[in-house]
Amino acid sequence: RKIIMVLFLSYYLGGSIGLSVSRRCGQRMRIARYGIERWEYGDEFGSGEEEDIKLKRKMRPDEIEEGIQILREFASEARYEQICSVAKGRTKNFVVGYERPSNPNNFFACLRTIDSFGIQNVAYVADSQDFATARAKRRRSRAISFENRKLKMKSALGSQKWLTIHEFVDTLDMLNNLKAKGYQIIATDLQPGAQPITELHSPEVHASRDNKIALIFGNEEAGISEQLRQLCDLRVFIPMRGFAESFNLSVATAAILSRLDALNFIPPQQLSIQEQNQLIFLWLSRSIGYKSTSAILRRYHSSYSSLL
């Protein structure tokens, strides 16, 4: 048994070390050839909002197209084809929002689900540090700020790279922004007056099928605020058949989005060619790594030096 264990450990550790050395050598070869690090999954990103702002303010459509042709050489063909396919199927007329989630990890876990339904935009109002501290005190635990947890987003498993995440200072700010853009606000709520998700074929929802919808989830413990309850256009809930009153946040997100998708309220392929190219460029830069992207574009095209 000892001999078998020694052989197994030698094989396992030798394979791991060999794979690590192989990757390191391949990385050094890429640096020698291109002058930068070519890495398929690149650096970790948060929402990418800063890069979005730089792109929209400074880069013309023709520069974006040219940038795509340069960057595609530094990602695998399979990754590039997947990026183009996903961008083509994205929708801009559906937004998922969260009002002060008490556990940021629950919110981050929802990002995978949102991405899988082809939704690009996410809105949220972060729970304040005062509420987080008070909640932690009740539980006799340590409060961790939303900002600190946002640096990791491990439960999102990288999905934050592909989404555009908008943070708002409070609920009214978020609702005003969405309503100004023409979104109908649907909030999840367990209070009287909310209708079951199974009745989402009601006339008031059908009337906005070709328009814009924002689905807003409340706090896991307290639900939606009275302000959101008064200002939303429709309130819905998921009927439960057991002792539990509700699902956790990520399951509830998946269940309601699945229902809305079955009713064709999340229509794909709504982005213009220019909007698709913006996403393709951003996603390529996030796959490669933003620092490496800047080095690549400056190396191959000097006019990008003032842009990135």
Side-chain angles (χ1 to χ4, degrees):
R1 290 181 179 178
K2 291 181 178 178
I3 294 175
I4 293 175
M5 182 63 69
V6 169
L7 290 174
F8 172 78
L9 289 175
S10 299
Y11 174 80
Y12 177 79
L13 292 175
S16 299
I17 294 172
L19 181 61
S20 177
V21 171
S22 176
R23 287 177 175 172
R24 189 68 61 86
C25 290
Q27 188 176 15
R28 288 178 179 175
M29 290 175 65
R30 289 191 291 270
I31 294 172
R33 180 177 180 183
Y34 299 106
I36 50 85
E37 296 184 19
R38 179 180 176 181
W39 189 244
E40 176 67 14
Y41 295 100
D43 304 323
E44 283 297 321
F45 280 87
S47 67
E49 193 167 0
E50 291 182 3
E51 289 80 38
D52 290 348
I53 293 172
K54 289 181 180 179
L55 176 67
K56 292 177 180 178
R57 286 181 179 176
K58 296 185 177 181
M59 296 188 70
R60 302 189 308 269
D62 60 309
E63 291 175 331
I64 293 175
E65 291 180 11
E66 186 176 1
I68 290 173
Q69 296 308 311
I70 295 173
L71 294 180
R72 65 176 297 183
E73 299 298 326
F74 295 86
S76 67
E77 191 62 29
R79 171 50 63 94
Y80 176 71
E81 290 178 358
Q82 182 185 27
I83 284 175
C84 292
S85 175
V86 173
K88 185 177 180 181
R90 279 300 206 230
T91 179
K92 63 180 179 181
N93 282 1
F94 198 103
V95 173
V96 181
Y98 296 90
E99 184 190 35
R100 303 189 184 283
S102 60
N103 187 339
N105 289 329
N106 292 339
F107 164 58
F108 301 151
C110 295
L111 300 182
R112 282 188 73 195
T113 300
I114 294 169
D115 170 62
S116 68
F117 279 95
I119 298 168
Q120 182 59 34
N121 292 291
V122 181
Y124 77 95
V125 178
D127 200 6
S128 70
Q129 186 62 37
D130 291 338
F131 281 109
T133 301
R135 184 170 54 251
K137 187 176 181 179
R138 290 196 305 269
R139 297 174 176 175
R140 296 181 180 180
S141 60
R142 183 169 60 91
I144 301 176
S145 70
F146 197 98
E147 288 299 321
N148 287 339
R149 292 196 183 190
K150 194 165 63 173
L151 295 175
K152 294 294 183 181
M153 287 194 184
K154 289 183 178 179
S155 55
L157 295 180
S159 294
Q160 71 274 14
K161 291 182 180 181
W162 320 122
L163 300 173
T164 304
I165 304 175
H166 308 273
E167 181 177 2
F168 296 93
V169 295
D170 54 38
T171 299
L172 185 60
D173 182 34
M174 178 173 66
L175 294 179
N176 286 341
N177 182 279
L178 293 171
K179 284 180 175 289
K181 294 178 180 177
Y183 286 93
Q184 181 187 26
I185 309 298
I186 300 177
T188 59
D189 190 20
L190 296 177
Q191 296 299 314
Q195 62 177 270
I197 187 178
T198 51
E199 298 178 8
L200 279 178
H201 53 272
S202 58
E204 59 265 35
V205 179
H206 268 287
S208 65
R209 171 173 292 184
D210 297 325
N211 297 325
K212 299 179 176 181
I213 295 176
L215 175 66
I216 311 294
F217 293 86
N219 181 277
E220 300 97 312
E221 300 176 5
I224 63 173
S225 65
E226 188 60 34
Q227 187 177 46
L228 176 55
R229 186 174 290 113
Q230 296 296 325
L231 295 177
C232 69
D233 300 297
L234 184 68
R235 293 182 291 122
V236 299
F237 69 94
I238 303 173
M240 307 293 289
R241 298 179 180 177
F243 292 102
E245 293 183 350
S246 62
F247 290 112
N248 66 38
L249 192 59
S250 60
V251 174
T253 298
I256 295 182
L257 289 182
S258 180
R259 174 64 177 172
L260 292 174
D261 190 43
L263 295 173
N264 296 321
F265 289 130
I266 312 177
Q269 301 180 351
Q270 291 183 320
L271 301 184
S272 65
I273 298 298
Q274 182 176 340
E275 290 170 327
Q276 290 179 37
N277 284 340
Q278 288 180 346
L279 286 181
I280 292 170
F281 180 87
L282 286 172
W283 291 346
L284 280 172
S285 70
R286 293 170 192 174
S287 292
I288 298 167
Y290 193 60
K291 292 181 180 178
S292 296
T293 296
S294 299
I296 293 168
L297 294 180
R298 290 185 180 119
R299 180 183 178 89
Y300 285 86
H301 205 296
S302 60
S303 64
Y304 286 99
S305 298
S306 62
L307 300 176
L308 298 172

